[in-house]
């Protein structure tokens, strides 16, 4: 007999030393919601929910978790991860539809699902990537993310010094700046490293098509979220017109849409984020869809310690994961919250092997970045 006896959350927040410009809004703080699930076996599992945008996302997430999610899982059997995932989706997706907000609902469910996988690991004394069977790899390729729009050459030099062989730049700041970013990055990297670019949905179809020759000139291997709205028919039209390989997935919700993307010849790379799309369970389903069509999976990862550790575990259990995004900017919610955080060597990370997330969390460091929330109430 095993039951979830308590569900808690913490809002983590810390200023980032190098505020990150995006084509839509800057990111000046790193934030995440950490979910902790206790069981009557005396175990605690940790999960993470993504709240980078909007700046007030923490308030929404605290309410959604406390009022919508936690009452549905206390008392449930944590060993049946699929059943909990299905029941949360069945109960909350209809509310998300009415709300026009499938994303926040899935981002909240993500934290619970990751915590359940962490619990499964602790219950068996294994890293979560060993819970469901053998690992498919012991070493994960990572790519450096993201350079620009300022200090591109200096950031690229740091990537070269660290041995990264694949690097992503941010675009969507206007044609002149975008060309400068690509030129500075390629100028420092030289011809060999792979160069990726992320437009964060900055362009319409004509603007994206006009960027294609520039992207080709700098040998950009794929363009991420090129189009405002991220609609598949338009992405397919862009691909037809330009032949550009397209990456997307960090703002996609629901396995049905991931399956349509996986099946499209326009989409070369799927980028589910385990702290957004619905946890490890949903990401494994995305990997299955990707495998059926030979599409590569490069999970989106721009969060904190738990998302980082759990994404490495996903990569160790899912063959379609070709590489994982590795945040090279100041991130006070990632390495400082881990005991002995892994650092890429020549663009690779050996998959950690401690029980659960693979890497123990530094509880004192987590306490230091836990921010009080205005609506502190007794938790279920
Ligand atoms: Mg992106």
């Amino acid at each position: 007999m095993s039951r979830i006896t308590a569900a808690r959350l913490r809002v983590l927040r810390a200023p980032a030393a190098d505020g990150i410009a995006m084509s839509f809004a800057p990111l000046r703080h790193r934030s995440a919601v950490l979910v902790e699930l206790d069981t009557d076996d005396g175990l605690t599992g940790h999960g993470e929910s993504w709240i980078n945008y909007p700046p007030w996302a923490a308030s929404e997430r605290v309410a959604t978790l406390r009022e919508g999610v936690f009452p549905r899982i206390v008392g449930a059997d944590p060993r049946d991860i699929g059943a909990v995932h299905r029941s949360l989706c069945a109960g909350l997706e209809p509310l998300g539809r009415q709300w026009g907000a499938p994303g926040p609902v899935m981002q909240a469910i993500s934290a619970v699902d990751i915590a359940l996988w962490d619990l499964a690991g602790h219950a068996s004394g294994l890293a979560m990537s060993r819970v469901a069977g053998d690992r498919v790899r012991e070493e994960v390729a990572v790519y450096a993310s993201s350079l620009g729009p300022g200090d591109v050459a200096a950031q690229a030099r740091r990537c070269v010094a660290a041995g990264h062989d694949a690097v992503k730049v941010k675009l969507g700041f206007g044609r002149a700046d975008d060309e400068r970013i690509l030129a500075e990055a390629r100028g420092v990297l030289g011809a060999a490293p792979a160069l990726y670019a992320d437009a964060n949905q900055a362009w319409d179809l004509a603007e994206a098509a006009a960027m294609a020759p520039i992207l080709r000139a700098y040998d950009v291997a794929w363009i991420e979220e090129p189009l405002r709205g991220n609609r598949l028919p338009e992405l397919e039209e862009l691909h037809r017109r330009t032949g550009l390989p397209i990456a997307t997935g960090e703002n996609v919700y629901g396995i049905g849409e991931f399956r349509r993307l996986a099946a499209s010849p326009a989409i070369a790379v799927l980028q589910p984020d385990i702290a957004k799309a619905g946890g490890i369970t949903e990401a494994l389903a995305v990997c299955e869809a990707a495998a059926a069509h030979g599409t590569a999976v490069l999970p989106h990862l721009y969060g904190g310690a738990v998302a980082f550790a759990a994404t490495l575990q996903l990569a160790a259990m899912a063959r379609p994961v070709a590489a994982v995004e590795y945040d090279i900017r100041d991130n006070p919610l990632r390495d400082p919250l881990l005991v002995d955080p892994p650092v890429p060597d020549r663009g690779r990370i050996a998959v950690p092997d401690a029980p659960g997330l693979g890497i123990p969390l530094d509880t004192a460091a987590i306490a230091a970045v836990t921010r009080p929330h205005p609506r502190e109430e007794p938790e279920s």
Side-chain angles (χ1 to χ4, degrees), residues 58 142 146 188 201 214 348 368:
V142 300
S146 292
V188 171
Q201 304 195 23
I214 298 172
R348 308 190 80 76

Side-chain angles (χ1 to χ4, degrees), residues 168 170 198 200 224-225 250 271 300 325:
K168 188 167 83 181
K170 290 251 168 244
D198 185 357
N200 288 115
E224 175 174 333
E225 289 199 324
E250 69 179 87
Q271 302 169 303
H300 177 260
E325 182 168 16

Side-chain angles (χ1 to χ4, degrees), residues 177-359:
D177 271 341
D178 287 351
E179 184 153 16
R180 171 190 56 78
I181 290 164
L182 291 165
E184 285 183 25
R186 191 49 97 188
V188 171
L189 296 172
L195 183 59
Y196 313 139
D198 185 357
N200 288 115
Q201 304 195 23
W203 302 323
D204 65 22
L205 186 54
E207 289 165 337
M211 281 299 294
I214 298 172
L215 297 170
R216 277 194 200 297
Y218 294 98
D219 197 17
V220 171
W222 42 256
I223 178 70
E224 175 174 333
E225 289 199 324
L227 297 181
R228 213 148 28 243
N230 203 44
R231 285 176 287 273
L232 181 56
E234 276 192 305
L235 293 171
E236 290 179 325
E237 178 60 23
L238 176 65
H239 182 70
R240 266 193 296 275
R241 286 195 202 172
T242 65
L244 287 175
I246 294 169
T248 186
E250 69 179 87
N251 292 304
V252 172
Y253 297 98
I255 190 64
E257 184 62 12
F258 275 110
R259 287 195 183 116
R260 281 187 284 279
L261 292 165
S264 170
I267 306 302
V269 174
L270 283 177
Q271 302 169 303
D273 184 322
I274 61 165
K276 298 181 79 177
I280 298 280
T281 301
E282 194 83 359
L284 288 172
V286 173
C287 286
E288 203 176 303
H293 298 282
T295 309
V297 177
L298 279 78
H300 177 260
L301 179 57
Y302 223 68
V306 169
F308 175 45
T311 301
L312 294 177
Q313 295 296 315
L314 169 73
M317 62 176 125
R319 206 171 293 283
V321 175
V324 165
E325 182 168 16
Y326 183 78
D327 181 0
I328 58 154
R329 311 292 280 261
D330 180 45
N331 186 340
L333 298 189
R334 190 188 63 193
D335 293 0
L337 307 193
L338 294 168
V339 177
D340 202 10
V343 176
D345 178 26
R346 308 278 112 194
R348 308 190 80 76
I349 292 178
V351 182
D353 215 12
L357 294 165
I359 316 168

Side-chain angles (χ1 to χ4, degrees), residues 129-154:
S129 54
R130 298 191 191 279
V131 166
D134 291 337
R135 287 178 171 181
V136 299
R137 57 178 65 85
E138 292 296 331
E139 205 178 55
V140 176
V142 300
Y143 73 85
S145 172
S146 292
L147 281 53
D151 297 325
V152 175

